[in-house]
Amino acid sequence: MDRPLTRRGLLKGSVLFVAGAAVSACGGDPLAKTKTPPATGNAKITLNHWYHEYGEEGTQQAALRYAADFTKANPDIAVKVSWIPGDYATKWTAAVLTPDGPDVYEVNDVGPNMVKAGQVTPLDDVLGAEKSDFDPKVLAPYTWGGKVYAVPMVVDPMLVFYRKSLFQKAGVAVPTSFAEFAAAARKLTTGRQKGLFVGNDGIGDLGMLVPWSNGNLLVDDRKIIYDDPKVVKALTALKDLYDSKVTLQGYSTDWWDPGALITGAAAMQWVGMWAVPGMTAELGDDFASFPLPAFGPGGRQVVNMGGWVQVVNGKSAHLEAATKYVRWLWVENTAAQTDWNLGYGFHIPPRTSAANAADKLRTGPAQAVMEAANTHGVKQPALWTPEVEQPYTDAVTAIVKKGADPARTLAEAAKRSQDILDKVPAL
């Protein structure tokens, strides 16, 4: 859901549930100062729950319904659901610095600075005995000092999808190495058709994932490790791919939308599982998927595991109620999790038991993605924060697009990343 296929503007604002009754809390910008409607019934406290503005139709109504169901079961706790449009990250970052920040909100990442600032609180008791039913690699980036600070709500595997008919026409087999992957992209480039679409910049996630596929995860504990011959080799190969002009660039939508694959503008595309229903509707069975192939000896196949997680504001005046709500919705309520992930879009419910029981994930392309994610899924390391990553991202652009010397550029960037990492608080 973090990469919706459309960005339709749904209803904006907040809705307050008091003993199961919905009352409009504000209009326009949800961050505008408004007075919360007076509580009625048995409600004693009000939780403010923030979501970013999902693009999948029906998600806002579902969020409101879950809140209403919780309040029916817990009449003393009202829930105000706020649907936040625009630059969600900037808005929540500012809001949690104030006393009026959300009690519960969703994020992609939980960094140690958030923990240190009390913007999140440990949720081990929320996960409880069900913790073993969550994929450990999905929980790992949200774990600091042995404590878990987030509960996954959406799991989004990303990998390579391809048109089977175009592979057959070109005599291309599913690649088993990066060299074969690049060769396939070249062979599939013909006329107006490009071999591969990874993003309109021609690099996309490959700047990070190709080194991963060569056995280097960029950061290990508190040490930057991307100043490494393996990464130099991987990025050199990525530059060769970029220079061969086989990657689609400047398409009308970006990599998260499967339009390029559907129209045949590209024969292969890096995209997420969320695109499976749209591709099925348009292409029938003329598509399949595979992980990014291992780069070379000692490498590994890669499926990138994205998604959203739920956190509780450590400064909330209603911590007990907030953690109770999160446990009810994102741990105990597997029916709601399945509905949230598969009722409107196409994602993996975070509890393994719920995912395994979902009929939509047990056949066809979805089953293949599930199996690939279970076997080859990787999750961004916890200390690979946006600030630590930025020098590396700049280096990749310089190497791939501008022809900068790979070894020297990575060495200089690694020093900057390490300096930033050294300032990240230890927990």
Side-chain angles (χ1 to χ4, degrees), residues 224 226-228 232 388 390-396 398-399 404-420:
I224 296 297
Y226 66 72
D227 179 13
D228 185 286
V232 171
V388 172
Q390 191 59 53
Y392 175 77
T393 302
D394 294 341
V396 171
I399 293 165
D405 179 79
R408 184 176 66 249
T409 304
L410 283 173
E412 293 171 352
K415 291 178 181 177
R416 293 196 295 275
S417 287
Q418 189 66 59
D419 286 344
I420 296 168

Side-chain angles (χ1 to χ4, degrees), residues 126-146:
V126 169
L127 289 165
E130 292 85 355
K131 180 179 178 180
S132 61
D133 199 28
F134 290 83
D135 189 335
K137 65 175 170 283
V138 174
L139 289 179
Y142 314 107
T143 303
W144 299 100

Side-chain angles (χ1 to χ4, degrees), residues 318-338:
H318 309 298
L319 272 178
E320 184 177 353
T323 53
K324 180 178 182 179
Y325 172 52
V326 170
R327 176 168 171 79
W328 177 88
L329 180 53
W330 299 116
V331 177
E332 297 176 337
N333 197 339
T334 54
Q337 292 160 40
T338 301

Side-chain angles (χ1 to χ4, degrees), residues 163 166 169 185-197 245-252 259-268:
R163 292 281 297 272
L166 297 179
K169 181 179 179 181
R186 294 184 178 95
K187 195 168 184 179
L188 290 161
T189 297
T190 175
R192 294 185 177 181
Q193 175 185 293
K194 292 292 187 179
L196 176 66
F197 185 42
K245 301 187 184 304
V246 299
T247 58
L248 177 64
Q249 298 177 40
Y251 192 67
S252 57
L261 194 72
I262 290 171
T263 62
M268 296 185 288

Side-chain angles (χ1 to χ4, degrees), residues 167-377:
F167 267 46
Q168 183 177 14
K169 181 179 179 181
V172 172
V174 173
T176 59
S177 68
F178 187 83
E180 291 180 4
F181 180 57
R186 294 184 178 95
K187 195 168 184 179
L188 290 161
T189 297
T190 175
R192 294 185 177 181
Q193 175 185 293
K194 292 292 187 179
L196 176 66
F197 185 42
V198 294
N200 280 321
D201 65 349
I203 301 175
D205 287 349
L206 295 188
M208 178 174 64
L209 298 178
V210 175
W212 282 15
S213 73
N214 200 25
N216 187 306
L217 290 181
L218 309 178
V219 59
D220 181 20
D221 193 17
R222 298 188 67 87
K223 183 174 176 58
I224 296 297
I225 58 173
Y226 66 72
D227 179 13
D228 185 286
K230 287 185 177 181
V231 181
V232 171
K233 189 174 183 180
L235 294 183
T236 300
L238 183 57
K239 176 174 173 52
D240 290 342
L241 179 68
Y242 180 87
D243 288 345
S244 66
K245 301 187 184 304
V246 299
T247 58
L248 177 64
Q249 298 177 40
Y251 192 67
S252 57
T253 56
D254 216 335
W255 68 272
W256 44 262
D257 186 305
L261 194 72
I262 290 171
T263 62
M268 296 185 288
Q269 180 171 340
W270 180 264
V271 70
M273 181 176 171
W274 58 79
V276 166
M279 291 188 291
T280 301
E282 296 292 335
L283 301 175
D285 65 353
D286 185 26
F287 75 96
S289 64
F290 58 88
L292 182 69
F295 186 87
R300 60 169 299 178
Q301 298 179 68
V302 173
V303 174
N304 192 18
M305 305 288 279
W308 288 88
V309 294
Q310 198 84 99
V311 297
V312 173
N313 189 343
K315 297 179 181 179
S316 168
H318 309 298
L319 272 178
E320 184 177 353
T323 53
K324 180 178 182 179
Y325 172 52
V326 170
R327 176 168 171 79
W328 177 88
L329 180 53
W330 299 116
V331 177
E332 297 176 337
N333 197 339
T334 54
Q337 292 160 40
T338 301
D339 179 66
W340 182 248
N341 281 273
L342 293 167
Y344 317 96
F346 209 69
H347 318 272
I348 299 178
R351 283 193 59 176
T352 301
S353 58
N356 290 341
D359 290 340
K360 291 183 178 181
L361 300 178
R362 298 167 77 177
T363 59
Q367 183 181 30
V369 173
M370 281 277 291
E371 292 172 353
N374 289 337
T375 305
H376 305 294

Side-chain angles (χ1 to χ4, degrees), residues 83-135:
W83 206 248
I84 309 298
D87 187 351
Y88 175 74
T90 297
K91 290 179 178 180
W92 77 252
T93 300
V96 295
L97 299 177
T98 73
D100 299 322
D103 300 284
V104 178
Y105 60 105
E106 60 179 8
V107 293
N108 296 122
D109 305 298
V110 175
N113 289 320
M114 293 173 66
V115 175
K116 198 79 171 178
Q119 296 170 355
V120 290
T121 195
L123 298 180
D124 299 88
D125 290 343
V126 169
L127 289 165
E130 292 85 355
K131 180 179 178 180
S132 61
D133 199 28
F134 290 83
D135 189 335

